[in-house]
Amino acid sequence: MSAPRAVRQLANGLFRRTNPRTRFLPAQRSIHSTSRLPSQVAAGQPIVEAERPTEVPAVNPPLSFPCLDALDKKTQTLTKKRSLSGPEPSYAPGATETFHCPSPLLLDWGGVLPSFDIAYESWGTLNADKSNAILLHTGLSASSHAKSTPANSKAGWWEKFIGPGAPIDTDKYFVICTNVLGGCYGSTGPSSKDPLANDQPYATRFPILTMQDMVRAQFRLLDWMGIEKLYASVGSSMGGMQSLAASVLHPERVGKLVSISGCARSHPYSVAMRHTQRQVLMNDPAWSSTRGNYYSAIPPHAGMKLAREIATVTYRSGPEWELRFGRRRADPSKPPALCPDFLIETYLDHAGEKWCLEYDANSLLYVSKAMDLFDLGKEHMDMLEGVRKSNEHKLEQFGAGKPTPKPEVGGADLCNLTLPDTPYEEQESTAEIMNKDTEIKAAAQDNEPPADLVKGMQGLRDIPALVLGVASDILFPAWQQREIAAALRKVGNRKVTHVELGEDRSLFGHDTFLLDLEGVGGELKRFLG
């Protein structure tokens, strides 16, 4: 057979085993086959699949992929459940109380919620003059269930930190914890019904949020409860950002401020990490094929699993993982595999798997974006205030006796960013970048926060503050808490307590705030009094 003819036949998928010494077999289907796997059918995505090699005796047999098999099996299971019992899952964390606000809420970037719900739980007793209330702010994916209640006996995410004699002592304080606006555990978010769209889920019609928007919704709840001033605003991680935002928005209503493993402005590194999580999620066929309107179909569980794995890498520290896992493999008796093989890989795989159906994918997108947008610098906050004022006229549509406005149809796409025609190129020399780095490090060593940030935090001069950081935290590095403390002192605050837990006290990275009852809890108890 001539070489050109053999090449043509191979390209056409017609090559057959005509020689006993040849290992090629007849192609089972074209490389452009339109047949799809169950998971592709379920996601409604016309994916072109490359030909899989036919199993034949060979020196190097093909690897098996149990991780992908498990993914296909889960998708098939969800498909069956969807046909029998409707969309999956329900994102229900257990019994909560719900505050319904019937009046509209104008959001920083121009969106309007005609009404909204805030799910909350509480512990302790509110005293007669309502002066002992503590508002507890959560991390990104947490529900209001910080501690077990009679209605929900499941342990909360801060179970040991709240209670009689605990760091937040319920014999002294009345503790309120909410699910954030934009979440999926009872508060209004993308999975909630849109009253302006025939009660269909908001999905990606949900407006962009900020930390300040979440805080405004929380203070509507406090108004309803008749709480004029908080004894303390307490938060960790994203909650630390919210605690600062609450104090900046309403300094006259916050008695004490606690920000644990938080920041006053999101750093490019944390923005980059959350960006990668959103990208793997949005590229899940179940999300991309529906553009986030998956509520009557299959949730993007594969993208959520990967997003959680990326997040988990940032939540802990390398030294801890060295101690826990080292370079040990799950089963040294078996040959290496491309699926989870090392103990650390199986840990990440499990972390993603157990979470991928517990949290709404769109809530992850919106809430994580709100974290990225956080910046208490005066220039940024003045800009947001200008945007708010330019959109205040939207609230007039919801005045008493006026008909409910209908959503606009076919409006301009608000996101019109496109990739540049030419790729990004470095604009500065390495020497210039290193000189800037030297200047930044020198400012950090002198505890000199940016002047714009100091101006933005002027209102916090008279609020006693506890700022706590962890040296092993790579997501919210300890220098960010040092920056908060320095900015507070720069505005003239003489009641700033700054604590940094070194690696000799904690190797648990960002998750230290969830785990270290002695270090984090002890400092919190001393500060609250």
Side-chain angles (χ1 to χ4, degrees):
M1 181 186 298
S2 66
R5 181 180 176 189
V7 171
R8 286 196 303 273
Q9 289 185 344
L10 180 59
N12 291 330
L14 299 176
F15 198 100
R16 297 183 179 276
R17 183 177 178 183
T18 57
N19 188 315
R21 291 171 295 180
T22 306
R23 290 194 177 275
F24 290 100
L25 290 179
Q28 300 299 305
R29 57 174 178 244
S30 165
I31 197 169
H32 297 294
S33 169
T34 58
S35 62
R36 294 177 288 171
L37 294 175
S39 59
Q40 296 165 354
V41 174
Q45 185 77 349
I47 299 175
V48 176
E49 184 197 359
E51 178 183 344
R52 291 182 179 177
T54 303
E55 292 187 13
V56 295
V59 174
N60 299 314
L63 294 174
S64 60
F65 295 95
C67 52
L68 299 183
D69 295 338
L71 177 63
D72 282 340
K73 185 176 180 180
K74 171 170 278 192
T75 301
Q76 292 177 52
T77 301
L78 288 173
T79 304
K80 293 176 182 177
K81 284 187 177 181
R82 179 190 63 174
S83 63
L84 294 174
S85 58
E88 291 281 329
S90 64
Y91 309 117
T96 65
E97 297 181 81
T98 302
F99 162 64
H100 175 72
C101 183
S103 56
L105 180 66
L106 176 65
L107 306 179
D108 276 339
W109 284 101
V112 177
L113 294 177
S115 63
F116 63 91
D117 291 338
I118 292 295
Y120 71 97
E121 295 176 56
S122 60
W123 305 266
T125 303
L126 188 62
N127 60 15
D129 60 1
K130 300 183 178 181
S131 62
N132 68 333
I134 291 179
L135 180 59
L136 177 60
H137 307 273
T138 74
L140 185 155
S141 59
S143 71
S144 60
H145 193 60
K147 182 176 176 59
S148 55
T149 64
N152 184 356
S153 60
K154 182 180 179 181
W157 54 267
W158 239 22
E159 183 72 21
K160 295 180 180 179
F161 287 75
I162 303 169
I168 302 183
D169 191 345
T170 51
D171 286 338
K172 298 179 180 180
Y173 310 117
F174 176 65
V175 186
I176 310 160
C177 183
T178 76
N179 179 220
V180 297
L181 190 70
C184 58
Y185 293 132
S187 294
T188 297
S191 59
S192 304
K193 293 179 179 179
D194 182 353
L196 303 184
N198 299 319
D199 284 339
Q200 294 297 310
Y202 275 102
T204 48
R205 283 192 305 272
F206 198 78
I208 290 293
L209 289 168
T210 65
M211 291 291 114
Q212 288 87 339
D213 291 328
M214 298 174 186
V215 167
R216 290 187 184 96
Q218 290 173 322
F219 273 80
R220 293 275 186 96
L221 167 64
L222 297 179
D223 292 341
W224 176 73
M225 289 182 163
I227 298 172
E228 295 183 2
K229 185 171 182 177
L230 293 167
Y231 179 82
S233 173
V234 177
S236 304
S237 187
M238 185 185 83
M241 301 159 82
Q242 288 178 282
S243 192
L244 284 168
S247 303
V248 169
L249 280 178
H250 300 290
E252 76 288 352
R253 298 186 67 176
V254 176
K256 290 188 175 185
L257 159 66
V258 177
S259 181
I260 302 169
S261 297
C263 66
R265 55 193 176 108
S266 281
H267 188 263
Y269 170 81
S270 61
V271 173
M273 295 307 297
R274 288 188 288 268
H275 163 76
T276 59
Q277 294 169 47
R278 290 194 296 270
Q279 286 295 294
V280 297
L281 170 53
M282 293 167 67
N283 279 280
D284 183 314
W287 198 97
S288 61
S289 64
T290 63
R291 292 303 190 264
N293 291 279
Y294 50 79
Y295 293 104
S296 60
I298 296 174
H301 61 95
M304 282 291 279
K305 177 180 178 180
L306 291 173
R308 185 63 170 186
E309 290 189 36
I310 295 171
T312 303
V313 171
T314 70
Y315 293 159
R316 296 300 182 94
S317 76
E320 180 208 353
W321 283 351
E322 178 68 31
L323 292 174
R324 287 179 65 186
F325 307 115
R327 289 187 43 80
R328 296 191 300 278
R329 293 174 56 221
D331 188 349
S333 67
K334 294 182 180 179
L338 296 180
C339 282
D341 181 30
F342 283 93
L343 280 180
I344 181 60
E345 293 177 313
T346 61
Y347 169 78
L348 292 174
D349 184 73
H350 175 68
E353 185 66 32
K354 72 177 184 179
W355 190 78
C356 66
L357 291 175
E358 291 183 1
Y359 195 75
D360 179 41
N362 283 333
S363 283
L364 176 61
L365 296 177
Y366 278 88
V367 177
S368 71
K369 189 66 179 182
M371 294 177 72
D372 291 352
L373 295 170
F374 186 63
D375 182 354
L376 291 180
K378 183 169 175 50
E379 182 179 347
H380 178 75
M381 290 198 296
D382 285 348
M383 179 273 295
L384 280 184
E385 187 58 30
V387 174
R388 286 185 64 80
K389 288 183 178 179
S390 69
N391 285 291
E392 284 180 349
H393 67 278
K394 294 181 180 181
L395 293 176
E396 298 173 3
Q397 304 176 79
F398 298 91
K402 294 184 179 181
T404 302
K406 294 182 178 180
E408 297 180 4
V409 179
D413 189 349
L414 294 178
C415 182
N416 55 12
L417 299 178
T418 56
L419 293 174
D421 294 331
T422 56
Y424 171 79
E425 294 180 1
E426 297 289 350
Q427 301 299 312
E428 301 169 296
S429 69
T430 54
E432 289 173 322
I433 294 174
M434 292 305 295
N435 285 336
K436 282 187 178 180
D437 184 57
T438 301
E439 295 171 5
I440 292 171
K441 287 180 178 178
Q445 289 175 354
D446 294 336
N447 287 327
E448 281 295 324
D452 180 60
L453 184 61
V454 174
K455 291 178 182 177
M457 297 175 67
Q458 285 289 338
L460 307 185
R461 176 178 178 176
D462 300 318
I463 303 177
L466 169 64
V467 183
L468 191 149
V470 180
S472 58
D473 189 344
I474 63 172
L475 184 59
F476 285 78
W479 69 261
Q480 291 193 304
Q481 292 84 56
R482 291 197 291 269
E483 180 178 79
I484 296 171
L488 288 171
R489 289 171 178 144
K490 201 77 174 178
V491 303
N493 193 322
R494 296 293 179 263
K495 298 178 180 178
V496 179
T497 302
H498 173 235
V499 178
E500 185 171 315
L501 301 179
E503 292 190 6
D504 59 322
R505 294 183 64 185
S506 178
L507 290 177
F508 299 110
H510 187 61
D511 273 357
T512 295
F513 77 89
L514 292 170
L515 304 169
D516 192 347
L517 186 61
E518 180 182 350
V520 175
E523 296 293 344
L524 180 59
K525 186 172 186 176
R526 279 188 286 275
F527 177 76
L528 293 177

